[in-house]
Amino acid sequence: MKVLACGWVQMFCTAVVVCTVIGFALQILGVPSQQRIFPVYQDGFRFPTWSAGEQEMPSVAKTCQPKKHIMFLKTHKTASSTILNILHRFGDRHNLTFALPKSYQFSYPNLFHSRSVKGFSPARMQNYNIICHHMRFNLHEVNKVMPKDSFFFSILRNPITMAESSFMYYKDVAPAFKHVQSFEVFINNPLMYYNPSENSNHYARNLLFFDFGFNHNAQFNTTYASRAVAAVERTFQLILLMEYFDESLILLKEALCWELDDVVTFKLNFRSQDNVQALSPQAVEKLKEWNALDWYLYTHFNRTFWQKVEQLGWENMREEVFQLQKRQKELMEECLQGNRPVEANSIRDDNIRPFQFGIAKILGWVLKPDLNLLAKERCIRMVTPELQYKDLLNAKQFPPTNSSMTSGFGTKSLMNQTALLPRKDQGKSDGERQTRSSQVNQDSKEKSNKAVR
C-alpha cells in the first residue's frame, strides 16, 4: 500500500509540474486570453495585422538622450512630406537649426552640394541640426554640412505603386510621360517613350535609385544592385517603409529616443483615391522588370525592416502602434473639422492649403474654428504643408534684416510669431513653386524656382 501511495504522489507531482509549464507557456504566448497575431508572408513580404489591446503599457523612463543631429533623405512619392512635417515640428519646437535649401530643394536633380545650403560657408564653423529637404544624395557633400554623429534615415515605397503615383504627379514634367494616354500604355512598351538623356526622365525609371545617388539607368545585375544596397546600409541607420507607416514611426521614435507626440502626425501631400489607377497583373510584372533596381532595393529593406521589428519585440510593436493610433485619433478629434481630408479648394487659409501639382488632386485638412490658443498652435503645426513650413523656417533663421545671413539662434518658436497668420499675398507664390521641366540651373535662378515634391 505504501508503494502504491508513493506512486500516486509521484504521478500527481509530475502532473502539477506539466500543467504549470503548459500554463506558463500559454501565458507567454497570450493564449487563450488574447490570440497573438504575427505578420505572415505574402508574395515575399510581411503584412502585419495588429490586434490592439485595451490595457496601456506602463511608461518606462528613457535612459537614452533624444537625437538632434538628423539627416533625412526625402525620397519622392513615399509619404516623405509627412515625415518632413514631423522633423519641421520637432526642430521648430526645440529651436534647432535646419540646413535649408536656397529655394525649396537642394539643386535637385543635381547631386547634392554643400554650396546649395543657404548661408553655408566652408570657411566658418556652422552647427546644423537637421537636413531634410529634397536632394539627390551625395554623402561626401552631406558630411561637409552635418555633424559626424548625425542619424541618417530615409523611407522607401513599393516601386509598383510608387511608379503609378509618379506618373500621375509628373506626367507634365517627365518627357516619357507627356504623350502617353495612360500609365499602362507606357509600361507596356516603356522604351518607345523613354529617352535616358532627356531632362526629368528620372521620374520615369528607378526613381529611388536615382534619389539615393546611384545610376538609375544601369543595366540590372545582382553585383551592382547588391553593392548599392550595401552602400545604403553602411550610411543609413534606418530605412522606413511607406506601406507600414505606423510601424515605421515607432521604429523612428525608438531610434531617435523621442516621445510619442513627437511622431504623431496627420497625412500630408497625399492624393485623392479617385486618381489612383489600378494595374493589371501583367503590368505589375513588367514594372518589376522596368524598375528592377528599385525592386531589389525595396525587397532587401523590406526584410531588414522586419528584423528591426523583431528586435523591438512583436508585442511591444503591437502596443506602441495602438497607442500611436489612439493618440492620432485624439488629435484629429481635437484639431480637425470633419475628421476627413478635403480638396484644396475647400481650404480657405493659404497657410495650410496644399500645393496642387500634376493631374492628381492633393488633399489637405480644415481646422476647427473655435480652437483655443494652445490647441491652435499645436494643430497648425500638424497641418502646415512642407512649402509653407519651409518658408517659415527660412524666415526664422534668416529674418529680413541687414544681418539676414546670420542664423536665427535664440528666436522664438515660429508658431508664436505672426508668420502663420493669413496673409493676402501668400497665395501669389504658388506659381513660383511649380516645377521646371529642367532644373539644372536652379541655384542661379532661385527666384524662379518651382518646387517638385
Side-chain angles (χ1 to χ4, degrees), residues 114-304:
S114 56
R115 63 171 173 261
S116 63
V117 176
K118 186 173 183 178
F120 175 79
S121 171
R124 65 176 185 269
M125 295 295 294
Q126 290 147 301
N127 182 25
Y128 293 107
N129 297 106
I130 300 174
I131 187 168
C132 56
H133 295 88
H134 272 313
M135 69 167 66
R136 189 178 183 203
F137 188 67
N138 182 356
L139 178 60
H140 177 70
E141 290 295 320
V142 169
N143 284 338
K144 292 180 180 180
V145 177
M146 296 303 294
K148 292 182 179 180
D149 64 345
S150 295
F151 181 88
F152 284 59
F153 78 103
S154 188
I155 185 168
L156 305 181
R157 178 180 180 179
N158 188 319
I160 306 303
T161 59
M162 178 180 171
E164 184 273 334
S165 178
S166 296
F167 177 83
M168 297 297 292
Y169 201 79
Y170 302 115
K171 191 178 188 308
D172 295 331
V173 177
F177 293 156
K178 281 185 178 181
H179 306 295
V180 184
Q181 184 177 3
S182 69
F183 185 56
E184 189 121 5
V185 170
F186 169 79
I187 206 59
N188 280 335
N189 191 2
L191 290 176
M192 179 181 292
Y193 309 99
Y194 182 81
N195 182 346
S197 64
E198 290 186 299
N199 290 332
S200 299
N201 260 350
H202 62 280
Y203 294 117
R205 190 176 197 187
N206 291 313
L207 181 54
L208 288 173
F209 239 64
F210 183 87
D211 283 350
F212 274 89
F214 302 119
N215 180 7
H216 68 125
N217 285 313
Q219 187 69 29
F220 177 83
N221 66 79
T222 305
T223 301
Y224 175 66
S226 61
R227 286 177 178 174
V229 165
V232 174
E233 284 193 313
R234 287 194 301 269
T235 305
F236 291 82
Q237 290 99 312
L238 181 63
I239 299 293
L240 311 179
L241 299 179
M242 192 196 92
E243 288 76 17
Y244 313 105
F245 197 73
D246 288 346
E247 292 84 357
S248 292
L249 293 183
I250 296 304
L251 291 180
L252 182 65
K253 176 181 78 74
E254 293 299 308
L256 295 178
C257 193
W258 287 6
E259 301 297 332
L260 184 65
D261 269 14
D262 294 329
V263 299
V264 175
T265 185
F266 305 147
K267 288 176 62 177
L268 296 176
N269 194 33
F270 62 104
R271 59 176 168 150
S272 169
Q273 290 299 306
D274 297 340
N275 301 121
V276 178
Q277 296 183 7
L279 300 176
S280 67
Q282 295 78 12
V284 169
E285 293 306 314
K286 289 179 180 179
L287 271 173
K288 290 180 182 180
E289 182 178 354
W290 176 245
N291 290 322
L293 292 170
D294 276 5
W295 186 252
Y296 188 93
L297 183 74
Y298 180 79
T299 53
H300 175 85
F301 285 105
N302 184 285
R303 290 190 294 269
T304 62

Side-chain angles (χ1 to χ4, degrees), residues 382-394:
M382 298 189 71
V383 300
T384 300
E386 61 180 276
L387 297 185
Q388 289 94 317
Y389 218 138
K390 186 269 174 184
D391 286 342
L392 296 171
L393 292 170
N394 186 77

Side-chain angles (χ1 to χ4, degrees), residues 36-41 46-50 237-241 243-252 254-255 301-321:
R36 192 178 187 187
I37 301 177
F38 285 91
V40 296
Y41 283 100
R46 291 182 172 186
F47 293 82
T49 302
W50 307 108
Q237 290 99 312
L238 181 63
I239 299 293
L240 311 179
L241 299 179
E243 288 76 17
Y244 313 105
F245 197 73
D246 288 346
E247 292 84 357
S248 292
L249 293 183
I250 296 304
L251 291 180
L252 182 65
E254 293 299 308
F301 285 105
N302 184 285
R303 290 190 294 269
T304 62
F305 180 87
W306 296 111
Q307 291 170 6
K308 292 183 182 296
V309 173
E310 289 181 13
Q311 292 171 6
L312 178 65
W314 296 107
E315 291 301 321
N316 286 338
M317 177 60 80
R318 176 196 61 79
E319 188 62 35
E320 289 276 4
V321 167

